Amino acid sequence: MLQQTQVATVIDYYTRWMQKWPTLQALAQASLEVVSELAGRMPRTAEDLQKLLPGVGRYTAGAIASISYGQATGVVDGNVIRVLCRLRCVGADSSSPAVIDRLWDMANVLVDKSRPGDFNQALMELGATVCVPKSPLCGECPVKQHCQAWRRVEKELAFASQKLLGKAPPVPDVEDCGVGDCPLCPPATEPWDSSLGVTNFPRKAAKKPPRAMRTATCVLERRGCHGAPEYLIVQRPSSGLLAGLWEFPSLPLAQDLQEEKEREELADHLQAWIGRPVAAAGLQFIGEVIHVFSHIHQTYVVYSLHLDGDVTLDPALSPSRWVTEHEFHTSAVSTAMKKVLKAHEKQRRKESSPVKGSKRKRGAKAQGAGSPCPGTQLSIHAFLRAPTGP
Ligand code: SF4
């Protein structure tokens, strides 16, 4: 959690997480499957953590091993990258594998062998509070005497004042070269910019714009127990984007596909899930939902389809299941899919308003009848529609 955001934001989520899954065993029972092959024991070294626990990367492994188990291993996160690049005037693209590898080497050499966890946290904290991206507090920095970027700024100031006094300029230091084949120096095309001072570092290659993708998705709905709506969700593959998460049946679309063709392709896709023909014309267009991932600008073209009668899901396909609205929200679904359901509900509310269409409203009235199914929590809609009288 702390890899993604700040402590203040995480605390509430962390508390709820620990209440729900207080042990590894409890976590292993969670709906998003977590398999333990280690007799419930966490690996204790950065190497094993990374090797044996899927999803644990180099940074998380280093942080856990050093902070929790005292292993003398470094960590490199965004803050550490900034501090180290400034300390050593690393001006090459700080996201390049060559630079990242070198920064890991530096972090592993620098780490205090007796208090690695404290050292790593201090280094990250230095980046978060002193050596900040825009206006670093160099004057208050406890490591400024070791900082080459700071020394360079100081040297420039000294040079400027000597020039003012008409004295001879000093001979440039070898560390000021900044050119040649050095994989860590700023490229010759982007030399040191005096106006930026220490914030010349770190440097990043220009960001590529996110790739545009279109995906057709369908909210397949049926009347479940006592008329409460249920939705079909299917599980994504175990690798790649949103691995293992659940979603409405979805299909990536070629760019510039005609709407008619789009519907036909989606109808064919749905047929595979529900094992019966789906008429493309029967798909109701709901709207478009945009979701921006770090590298993908995703447009979901949302349709809905109401199904009558029993639907037998094919167990040979990826896992799929019918869920109530409550179950949908407690399943491992992505934020994008929550937006899709919201768009669908908005449309449904519009259709069932007194002004437009009485069809849905009649359906809604039927949903409130009777008592809830044993063990089934009513969706919020079903609850609000439930009769209040005896
Ligand atoms: Fe960062 Fe300035 Fe400290 Fe160098 S002296 S590490 S640039 S805050």
Side-chain angles (χ1 to χ4, degrees):
M1 290 182 199
L2 289 171
Q3 247 185 301
Q4 303 297 328
T5 184
Q6 297 172 330
V7 174
T9 314
V10 157
I11 286 173
D12 182 43
Y13 289 95
Y14 174 78
T15 308
R16 279 191 275 147
W17 172 285
M18 291 308 291
Q19 277 164 359
K20 197 165 180 183
W21 298 300
T23 63
L24 279 179
Q25 285 72 18
L27 187 59
Q29 309 293 321
S31 53
L32 183 63
E33 295 77 7
V34 176
V35 181
S36 171
E37 295 173 353
L38 305 164
R41 277 178 60 84
M42 284 281 281
R44 291 183 167 244
T45 65
E47 298 72 28
D48 283 352
L49 282 159
Q50 211 182 327
K51 197 167 69 190
L52 299 174
L53 297 184
V56 171
R58 203 171 178 185
Y59 164 76
T60 309
I64 295 173
S66 63
I67 297 169
S68 302
Y69 301 124
Q71 186 190 3
T73 187
V75 295
V76 174
D77 71 345
N79 286 319
V80 174
I81 288 174
R82 185 166 57 256
V83 174
L84 293 182
C85 283
R86 289 175 180 170
L87 280 174
R88 288 291 171 265
C89 279
V90 176
D93 174 10
S94 65
S95 60
S96 71
V99 170
I100 293 289
D101 278 351
R102 197 57 185 273
L103 296 178
W104 273 99
D105 291 345
M106 284 186 210
N108 284 328
V109 169
L110 281 174
V111 67
D112 185 302
K113 305 289 178 274
S114 56
R115 293 172 64 190
D118 289 346
F119 178 89
N120 286 336
Q121 289 181 80
L123 192 56
M124 291 187 275
E125 201 61 12
L126 183 72
T129 57
V130 178
C131 194
V132 291
K134 285 202 176 121
S135 303
L137 310 170
C138 297
E140 301 169 22
C141 179
V143 296
K144 61 174 180 277
Q145 298 302 340
H146 307 283
C147 178
Q148 290 182 5
W150 181 77
R151 277 173 24 200
R152 181 160 187 163
V153 172
E154 291 294 296
K155 215 178 285 179
E156 279 195 347
L157 290 174
F159 175 69
S161 62
Q162 279 178 333
K163 213 171 157 193
L164 270 179
L165 297 170
K167 293 188 181 165
V171 179
D173 234 331
V174 68
E175 69 195 24
D176 295 340
C177 59
V179 289
D181 294 331
C182 173
L184 301 180
C185 276
T189 48
E190 295 172 55
W192 166 271
D193 177 348
S194 296
S195 68
L196 296 177
V198 297
T199 63
N200 269 283
F201 310 110
R203 291 190 187 178
K204 268 193 184 168
K207 250 191 179 178
K208 281 190 207 151
R211 183 161 46 96
M213 274 187 74
R214 281 174 74 77
T215 296
T217 190
C218 185
V219 181
L220 273 171
E221 188 182 346
R222 72 172 187 184
R223 290 276 171 248
C225 188
H226 301 307
E230 289 183 346
Y231 307 104
L232 180 68
I233 56 172
V234 302
Q235 194 170 26
R236 290 184 62 84
S238 57
S239 60
L241 183 71
L242 305 174
L245 295 188
W246 293 78
E247 65 181 9
F248 297 115
S250 302
L251 177 72
L253 297 169
Q255 293 291 340
D256 306 323
L257 201 65
Q258 298 287 316
E259 193 199 323
E260 198 184 327
K261 191 83 183 105
E262 192 175 281
R263 282 172 173 271
E264 282 170 15
E265 287 193 6
L266 181 60
D268 287 349
H269 183 69
L270 296 175
Q271 180 173 343
W273 283 110
I274 60 176
R276 62 159 101 154
V278 172
L283 293 169
Q284 185 192 1
F285 176 69
I286 298 292
E288 293 193 347
V289 167
I290 310 281
H291 190 77
V292 181
F293 300 93
S294 56
H295 56 304
I296 295 173
H297 188 279
Q298 177 71 267
T299 302
Y300 290 99
V301 188
V302 184
Y303 289 89
S304 77
L305 182 66
H306 188 91
L307 293 174
D308 292 316
D310 270 352
V311 180
T312 311
L313 302 174
D314 185 350
L317 294 170
S318 292
S320 58
R321 58 195 164 104
W322 290 97
V323 290
T324 62
E325 186 183 343
H326 173 76
E327 289 163 345
F328 174 87
H329 285 291
T330 54
S331 299
V333 291
S334 65
T335 308
M337 284 299 125
K338 288 180 183 167
K339 285 190 197 170
V340 166
L341 184 60
K342 214 167 165 186
H344 173 262
E345 285 175 340
K346 196 172 163 194
Q347 177 69 19
R348 198 168 55 182
R349 276 199 299 276
K350 222 157 105 186
E351 288 171 0
S352 62
S353 72
V355 185
K356 282 191 183 177
S358 56
K359 207 172 158 194
R360 290 284 177 130
K361 210 181 166 195
R362 279 201 298 274
K365 200 177 169 187
Q367 289 174 29
S371 57
C373 307
T376 305
Q377 178 161 358
L378 281 177
S379 73
I380 191 76
H381 290 290
F383 175 78
L384 290 171
R385 286 178 196 129
T388 49

